[in-house]
Amino acid sequence: MTHQADSSHDRNLPLLTGQSTLATAAWMMASPSIVLTFLAVSLDMPIFLIGALVSIRQLASSLTDVFLFNAIARIQNRKRALSVTDLTLALCFGATIVVVLFGDRSQAMVVFVICVFIMGIVDEFQQLLLTDFISDNLKSHARLKLKYAQMALGGIFAVAMTWFAHEMTLELPPLHRHSIIVAIGVLCFALSAFAVLAVRDFAEKSALPERAKSSPYKALMAYVSNAIQMLKFDWFRKFVTLRIVFASVILAVPFFSLISAEAHHASDKGLTALIISYALGYIVAGPLWGTLNNISHRLVMFSCAVLVGFSGATLATLHFLDIDHDVRIHAVAIFTVSVAVRGIGAVLSLYYMDIAPKEQRVNGIAVARSFVRVAMICLSATLAAVAHLHETAWAILFITLASFGAAIFSYFLTRSGSTSSASGSADA
C-alpha cells in the first residue's frame, strides 16, 4: 500500500508540474502587475487609478480570506473547484482584451476595476485551496521541486510564446499586439483548467467535512474566532510578522512596472521587453532559490530583500538623474525584482507548508494572508497617491528602504535551517 501511494505521489508530480507551468506562463503573459498596468497607461488612465488597482485586488483577496476560508476547507471536489477558478481568470482577462480593443477610456476603467476585483477574489480562493491540495498530494521534497520547476518551465514557455507573438505581429498596432499576448495567456489558463482534472486527489471525500452553510455574519464571526485562536500560537505570530514585513517588498513589481509603462507605453517593444524580462526572472528564480532554499529559508529571504533594495536604489537614482530612458534599463530592473519577489513568494509558501499542522493549514494561511492584505491595501493606496501627486520614483524609493529593513528583520527573526518542526509551538 505504501509503495502504491508513493507511486501515485510520483505520478502527481509531473501532472502538477505541467498544470502549474501553464498557469505560471498565463500569469506572466496576462499579468495584472505588468501587462494590465502597461495597457492602462497606454489607454491614458489616471495614475492614481492604475496604482489603486493593486489595492482593489488586495481588498478582493481579503474578502476571500475573511468570508470564504471556512468554505474552502470543506470543498469536496477540489480539482473541479481549481479548474473553475482558472476558467474564471481566463474570462476576466478575456474581457480586458475586448474592452482595450473595442471600448473607450471610460468603459476600460470600469472593466479593469471589475475584472481586477474578481481576479483578486478568484486568485486568493485558488491559492488557499492549492496550499491544502498540494500539501495533501505531494511530499515535502516534491513540493519544493514543483515550486521551483514551475517558475523555470513557466518562464521558458512564456518567453518563447511572447517572442513568437512579437515576431508574428510586427505589422499590427501596439495595442493589438499587446492584446494578442494576453490572449495567449487566456488560452494557457483554459488549458490549465483541464490539466488539473487529471491529478489524483488523495484526500477522500468521506474524510472531508461537509460543505459550510452559513450567513456572511456567521462567516465573519468564524473568521474573527479563528484569527484569535491562531494568534495564540507562537509559530503563527512570527509567520504573520514575517509576511507583513515583506508586504512592501512584494509591491516592487507593480510600481516598477508603473514607472516603466510611463516611460515606454508608446514603444512597440516596451511590453514585449517587460514580459520577457519578467519571465526570465521566473526562469532564474527557480534554480537559484531552489538551490539556496536547500541551505536555509533565512538566506533566501535576506537575499531577495537585499536584491529588491539595490534594484530600487539604482532605478530611482537613474530616474532622478534623468538617464533612465532606455527600455533596457527598465527591463533589467523588472528582471531583478521578478527574481527576488518570486523567491520571496516561494520561500514563504514552502516555509508555511513545512511548519503548519494539517488541521490549522487552511485556517492559518487565510488569517495570515488577510492580515498581509490589509497592510498591502494601505501601502499600495499610499504609494499610488504619492505616484499620482509627485513621481513614481518616490514610491520606489520607499520600497527600497523597506526592502533593506525587511532583510535585516528576516535575518534576526527566522532560523537558519531550511525546515521547522510542524507543531503548534514551532518557531517561525
Side-chain angles (χ1 to χ4, degrees):
M1 292 296 292
T2 302
H3 177 71
Q4 291 179 345
D6 289 343
S7 299
S8 297
H9 275 280
D10 292 340
R11 172 182 176 273
N12 273 348
L13 180 57
L15 287 173
L16 281 168
T17 300
Q19 179 270 330
S20 60
T21 295
L22 288 168
T24 300
W27 277 113
M28 292 181 200
M29 290 183 285
S31 167
S33 299
I34 303 287
V35 180
L36 295 192
T37 295
F38 198 95
L39 292 176
V41 173
S42 299
L43 294 172
D44 198 29
M45 292 186 192
I47 295 299
F48 178 76
L49 176 61
I50 298 171
L53 290 176
V54 179
S55 298
I56 293 170
R57 187 179 173 193
Q58 298 299 331
L59 174 62
S61 296
S62 297
L63 295 177
T64 302
D65 293 329
V66 173
F67 293 105
L68 298 179
F69 78 95
N70 210 14
I72 292 171
R74 290 170 168 81
I75 290 176
Q76 295 192 8
N77 194 330
R78 296 187 292 186
K79 293 192 298 183
R80 183 175 62 188
L82 289 170
S83 181
V84 170
T85 57
D86 273 336
L87 290 175
T88 304
L89 290 170
L91 289 173
C92 287
F93 283 111
T96 63
I97 297 174
V98 173
V99 76
V100 165
L101 294 177
F102 304 108
D104 57 31
R105 179 170 172 267
S106 299
Q107 292 171 336
M109 290 167 61
V110 172
V111 171
F112 268 54
V113 168
I114 293 173
C115 286
V116 166
F117 184 82
I118 295 174
M119 288 173 199
I121 292 176
V122 174
D123 181 36
E124 187 67 7
F125 185 101
Q126 187 180 70
Q127 292 306 312
L128 292 176
L129 188 55
L130 272 174
T131 298
D132 199 41
F133 184 74
I134 292 176
S135 297
D136 282 339
N137 294 298
L138 289 179
K139 297 179 180 179
S140 179
H141 184 65
R143 293 197 297 263
L144 189 146
K145 289 172 63 177
L146 171 67
K147 182 66 69 173
Y148 293 112
Q150 73 183 62
M151 290 187 198
L153 296 176
I156 292 170
F157 187 74
V159 168
M161 295 305 297
T162 301
W163 183 256
F164 176 77
H166 173 77
E167 291 298 314
M168 293 295 103
T169 59
L170 291 174
E171 304 301 321
L172 296 178
L175 278 180
H176 287 72
R177 297 172 65 189
H178 302 337
S179 298
I180 288 174
I181 294 175
V182 180
I184 297 174
V186 170
L187 177 61
C188 288
F189 273 124
L191 293 174
S192 173
F194 293 108
V196 75
L197 297 176
V199 179
R200 180 178 178 184
D201 191 351
F202 287 99
E204 299 198 7
K205 293 182 180 180
S206 59
L208 291 170
E210 294 183 0
R211 188 181 303 273
K213 295 181 180 179
S214 61
S215 67
Y217 173 77
K218 289 183 179 179
L220 178 60
M221 291 300 100
Y223 168 82
V224 172
S225 176
N226 179 54
I228 294 172
Q229 182 63 30
M230 291 304 304
L231 287 170
K232 294 178 181 178
F233 296 103
D234 182 59
W235 69 267
F236 182 76
R237 292 195 301 271
K238 290 182 179 179
F239 179 76
V240 168
T241 303
L242 200 62
R243 288 293 303 262
I244 292 175
V245 165
F246 276 102
S248 56
V249 185
I250 295 172
L251 288 174
V253 173
F255 283 94
F256 273 53
S257 301
L258 179 55
I259 196 171
S260 301
E262 289 176 320
H264 306 292
H265 67 273
S267 169
D268 289 343
K269 299 183 293 184
L271 182 59
T272 299
L274 296 184
I275 293 177
I276 290 177
S277 297
Y278 187 50
L280 287 173
Y282 274 64
I283 296 172
V284 173
L288 173 62
W289 303 128
T291 301
L292 293 182
N293 211 15
N294 282 319
I295 302 173
S296 168
H297 286 322
R298 181 171 65 177
L299 176 61
V300 175
M301 294 177 196
F302 180 84
S303 302
C304 290
V306 169
L307 197 58
V308 172
F310 277 118
S311 300
T314 302
L315 186 59
T317 300
L318 293 176
H319 178 82
F320 287 126
L321 292 175
D322 198 29
I323 54 175
D324 66 332
H325 302 295
D326 193 326
V327 69
R328 288 172 293 187
I329 293 175
H330 292 278
V332 170
I334 290 293
F335 166 77
T336 306
V337 297
S338 296
V339 170
V341 170
R342 291 313 305 170
I344 292 169
V347 71
L348 290 176
S349 175
L350 289 168
Y351 192 48
Y352 183 83
M353 289 181 190
D354 283 341
I355 66 174
K358 162 64 179 174
E359 63 274 10
Q360 298 169 351
R361 195 182 293 148
V362 174
N363 292 0
I365 196 63
V367 175
R369 290 172 74 97
S370 65
F371 284 3
V372 174
R373 299 294 180 191
V374 173
M376 292 184 74
I377 289 169
C378 297
L379 277 171
S380 57
T382 301
L383 294 177
V386 170
H388 181 77
L389 297 174
H390 301 285
E391 288 189 77
T392 306
W394 287 108
I396 291 174
L397 192 58
F398 173 84
I399 292 172
T400 297
L401 297 175
S403 298
F404 286 126
I408 296 171
F409 193 86
S410 64
Y411 182 83
F412 289 104
L413 183 67
T414 60
R415 288 180 171 181
S416 58
S418 63
T419 61
S420 297
S421 171
S423 66
S425 60
D427 289 335

